[in-house]
Amino acid sequence: MVIFVLFFMLFGLIALGVPVAFSLGLSSVSVILLFGDESLASLAGHIFSSMEHYTLIAIPFFILTSSFLSKGGAAQRLVDFAIDSIGWIKDGLPMASVLACMMFTAVSGSSPATVIAIGSMLLLA
């Protein structure tokens, strides 16, 4: 019953046009409040006190680094270098994108940051 209400609320909010992140949060918190024994204050305290994976905090900082490299032009220069290096070969654009992603990952240190920074530029190339 709880799972049915959770999914019904989630897909209902998405169908109404609420963004997915807010739909996930609103549906899960409301199901916890409706079917759980905890109050909202104790739920918030429990969420913050049970955060054990401190390494996950680094992911937004990697994405911030990729934003700096992208806005500064370093990512575009890496893509241009990769296209100039092997882009002239037949089907060279996919190989150039892999080369640019390898170089950008070596600089930023994160694969999700590479996807965010280089993926949008390679779609336009």
Side-chain angles (χ1 to χ4, degrees), residues 59 61-80 97 100-125:
I59 292 174
F61 292 119
F62 281 127
I63 293 172
L64 182 66
T65 303
S66 73
S67 177
F68 287 155
L69 289 172
S70 179
K71 297 291 182 192
Q76 184 64 45
R77 286 192 292 260
L78 282 173
V79 170
D80 290 340
S97 68
C101 285
M102 286 187 330
M103 291 187 293
F104 195 85
T105 301
V107 171
S108 71
S110 174
S111 297
T114 301
V115 170
I116 291 170
I118 297 224
S120 61
M121 284 186 282
L122 288 175
L123 286 175
L124 300 175

Side-chain angles (χ1 to χ4, degrees), residues 8-96:
F8 181 75
M9 187 177 294
L10 173 67
F11 291 126
L13 288 171
I14 290 173
L16 288 174
V18 179
V20 175
F22 293 121
S23 299
L24 284 169
L26 186 62
S27 62
S28 62
V29 167
S30 55
V31 164
I32 289 172
L33 290 176
L34 288 174
F35 295 104
D37 297 332
E38 297 184 23
S39 67
L40 189 59
S42 65
L43 178 66
H46 181 67
I47 288 172
F48 288 116
S49 67
S50 66
M51 190 180 293
E52 298 173 359
H53 303 287
Y54 295 109
T55 57
L56 295 177
I57 296 173
I59 292 174
F61 292 119
F62 281 127
I63 293 172
L64 182 66
T65 303
S66 73
S67 177
F68 287 155
L69 289 172
S70 179
K71 297 291 182 192
Q76 184 64 45
R77 286 192 292 260
L78 282 173
V79 170
D80 290 340
F81 172 74
I83 289 174
D84 290 342
S85 297
I86 57 176
W88 54 271
I89 301 172
K90 183 180 181 200
D91 296 329
L93 186 60
M95 290 186 279

